[in-house]
Amino acid sequence: MTMSKSDQSVHKRSVRFSPERSLFDQLPAETRIVSRRVRTAELRTEEFLLNVGPQHPSTHGVLRLVVSLDGEVITQCDPDLGYLHRTFEKISENRTYQQIVPFTDRMDYLGSMNANWGVAVAVEQLAGIEVPERAEYLRVIVAELNRIASHLMWMGAFGADVGAVTAFLFGFREREMVLDMFEEICGSRLTYGYIRVGGVAEDITPRFVKLAQEFLDLLPSKLNEYHDLLTGNPIFKQRTKGVGVITLDEAIRYGVTGPMLRSCGFPWDLRKDEPYSIYERFDFDIPVYYDGDCFDRYRVRMDEIGESAKIVRQALEGLPEGDFKVKKLARNIKPPVGDVYVRQEAPRGEYGVYMESDGTIKPNRVKYRTPSFSNLSILALMTVGWKIADLVAILGSVDIVLGDVDR
Amino acid sequence: MNTMLSAILGVLILFGVIALQGLILVYMERKVSAWMQSRLGPNRVGPWGLLQTAADIVKLLLKENIRNERSDRVIFFLAPILAFVAPFAAFVTVPFAATIGFRDLDMGAFYVFALGSSVVFAVIWAGYGSNNRYALIGAMRSAAQMISYEVPLVTAVLGVFLVAGTLSLREIVQLQSQGLWYVAVQPLGFVLFLVAATAESNRAPFDLPEAESELVAGFHTEYSGMKFAFFYLGEYAEMLVSSCVLVVLFLGGWLIPFANNANVPTWLHLLSFVSKVYLIIFLMMWFRWTFPRLRVDHLMAFGWKVLMPLALVNLLATGLIVYWLKS
Amino acid sequence: MNFQTVVDSIKVKFSRVDVEHEKVIVVPASDFLPVVDFLRSTLQMNVLDLLTASDHISENQIHMMYGFYSYANKTYLRIKVRLDRKDPAMPTLTSLWEAANWFEREVFDLFGVRFEGHPDLRRILTPPDFEGHGLRKDYERPGFFVKKPDFK
């Protein structure tokens, strides 16, 4: 297949602002002559192309944005993805079903537990594996703790994006406690691989329970601290309120899910509306706000931290005795021919795993429908007309993980 | 010849003192930010990490100087020098204590503000000369910001000059020793000056020209090594000079509160001055590590629509009261 | 509204639709747009949730897989469209859902399916000068350093 013309357009555009050409050279010839004669009245203004990323402190990884500016106002924004494309879908086709799980850690590396879970459930549904009840509870506990950690990390990064660096450290401080817990149960702090096909890797320890209780007791006071630092701050409000507004209709048309959808006034959460696993046993609320701006996205996530904490507390109380994984599991699972699509509510939105089995020990096709990818697609719409400083705030409020976008 | 020699010696001493202050301030900034963010801060190099900044300077000295191919060689070279020299030169007229200070100029305050505004040239040069789009945006922002905060800054202190009737910094302090400090006479002017001075020295929440999360490093994106260090040092020197001027104009300079200042040894006066200056600097650091950054249009709106009218009201009220008292 | 009633109401209008298993219906490519339009207008399936493909080299086919969802009725329906492996083409859904834009670009990038009428059909995950389509089963990795990278 040859490269079509449109294939190259991003590429071509990048030539326009190569460092070898100074700004002056880029002005049309007649403008140059005019400016030499200092007839400023005839000087024209020009669109200013800014290449944000792939190396930039606020693109949260290796995202490149080709931004056209009129002064400081964005007139066009074209995201250029793929810098972190590690072909996980292709790799998954060449691994056995159990071997896929660790790759999903590297996709959404801030919500690895949720990423593991989706794949595990997809394989279990394909092969018809029943998971013990205790394993389901453990899965819920770690997934919700991971959601808290992910939102804390997001809050810190978002604070840093709008210039409040201290929030960054505050978010990390409490996230550290969650990581300690995960380290306790699976020895790993970022790529857990804890939720596996047929259950979880290890049973939890008494120390984990103790750490979790301490964390849950501490969290409300810390949440108040964040609200003191950010939520009530007039500058923070000024930077985020009414910025990057999307309507509910736009959100649905762009396939936006998760906290971004809930900030548009639509209380949609798969955990509540299409309960999977054992979520219908827990009592929790879906935070919803109605303005669809950066501030509401922030508030949805901050409220979700509290709700997740509620779920973890209930799950720890109701944790039944029993096995934490299926006792006998084939070394190589051979599910029957068929396909399955599993949807779950990850910290960033709806995480889907589409898996196709051809009856062998390896899947024929695995597709990860990642929330960051869909949520990022609305960025161009959200940023046009806003200032370059808002671009950073809006991009931060989307909560993307580039590993999740590019896979 | 003798005066020439003493002048050179004085400049050298001043440079030494300011450079040392720069090192201390960087260390202090790190420790204060660490304290506010519940971190430890530098603690490896030397006792309590005291030598960390010295090690940084050594590192910066050894670094290669990189220049963009199409950058403007002369302007690129001059910008960091001006960025440091301008605030440095402003120290000449600052009275550190009753008998310590270099030159007592009749137009001292005017001289300080004139030098303070010339830093904007350095920023624009850096942005224009480095042939980088982030630097250019940073420089444009900076030009707009510094000019629009210069006006309320100077208007805010005009009240002090009206009350004092002089532009000499030393005389202003001496006048404060006879009565109230001007912070009590001009409270609004004090607040306005503090805010505008923070903006003037490009400190957060007004650090738009070098907004890290948006513009990478703003106008000094392309600078490395010692040139970068000069910008860095210049920023702290500017912070230092604004705090010094603030202390002199509003907080009674070297005067010690509730004490008979006539028969206090000079070193105590110096200590009082330095501690006041550091108090103000601590305040600025506190701002930086707790506030998010303003957006550029909010910043301009705040400067022109809030600070400027308040400064004008302050000036008018002061003028009327002074006129009424005198007549 | 459960899956069966959805399928029944589709089958009344479109006779060539088959049910594959209890989540998926198979629609011929020529009927695809009318079916989607029917889903969207009559059955309130207002979300395009999934758009992907899979390569079935033994059948010499590429299967498009679409997932539609209705927030109102909470029904999920997947549609499979079988395409010829040689020069596969589909009508675009970008006029109905903006979400289709990036999904279709991804499928174009990795499977080489053309989406007719797509406003901006270019590669999204692989570089613009990438050759071949990575997720096809017969894609062969060119090996390292066969071609000098072109950094212009």
Side-chain angles (χ1 to χ4, degrees), chain A residues 102-284:
Chain A
F103 288 102
T104 56
D105 283 330
R106 276 89 183 156
M107 287 187 336
D108 184 357
Y109 45 77
L110 297 179
S112 303
M113 290 292 187
N114 298 72
N116 291 163
W117 197 3
V119 176
V121 170
V123 178
E124 283 153 13
Q125 285 190 7
L126 264 181
I129 299 169
E130 275 288 317
V131 180
E133 199 187 8
R134 186 176 172 86
E136 292 284 8
Y137 269 88
L138 293 182
R139 285 176 174 188
V140 169
I141 291 170
V142 291
E144 292 306 319
L145 282 174
N146 208 173
R147 189 186 309 274
I148 295 174
S150 170
H151 284 344
L152 284 175
M153 163 87 207
W154 173 82
M155 180 209 70
F158 186 57
D161 282 344
V162 296
V165 189
T166 302
F168 191 64
L169 274 297
F170 277 30
F172 264 71
R173 191 180 58 193
E174 270 70 59
R175 177 172 175 262
E176 191 69 19
M177 302 178 74
V178 180
L179 296 191
D180 281 346
M181 286 179 235
F182 288 162
E183 194 181 1
E184 172 72 21
I185 53 171
C186 60
S188 187
R189 292 166 60 82
L190 192 70
T191 51
Y192 313 112
Y194 179 66
I195 298 179
R196 296 183 186 169
V197 178
V200 295
E202 295 286 339
D203 206 349
I204 55 170
T205 59
R207 180 157 175 265
F208 173 86
V209 180
K210 195 175 136 267
L211 284 172
Q213 297 289 5
E214 274 171 20
F215 175 68
L216 293 175
D217 292 341
L218 189 73
L219 195 61
S221 67
K222 294 296 176 188
L223 275 175
N224 283 339
E225 211 169 275
Y226 309 145
H227 286 306
D228 284 347
L229 187 67
L230 287 179
T231 319
N233 190 311
I235 300 179
F236 181 74
K237 274 189 191 164
Q238 211 176 19
R239 284 295 304 275
T240 52
K241 260 202 171 160
V243 173
V245 178
I246 47 172
T247 62
L248 180 59
D249 181 51
E250 281 164 354
I252 290 174
R253 276 192 289 123
Y254 275 86
V256 168
T257 49
M260 280 184 79
L261 186 65
R262 293 193 276 280
S263 74
C264 301
F266 188 34
W268 180 264
D269 193 315
L270 284 170
R271 291 174 294 168
K272 201 90 177 172
D273 289 286
E274 297 223 328
Y276 53 93
S277 187
I278 49 166
Y279 273 111
E280 72 270 12
R281 298 187 197 175
F282 302 119
D283 171 38
F284 62 101

Side-chain angles (χ1 to χ4, degrees), chain C residues 83-100:
Chain C
L83 297 177
D84 190 38
R85 217 163 159 277
K86 252 184 217 158
D87 194 27
M90 280 296 286
T92 180
L93 291 183
T94 43
S95 52
L96 299 173
W97 286 281
E98 276 87 344

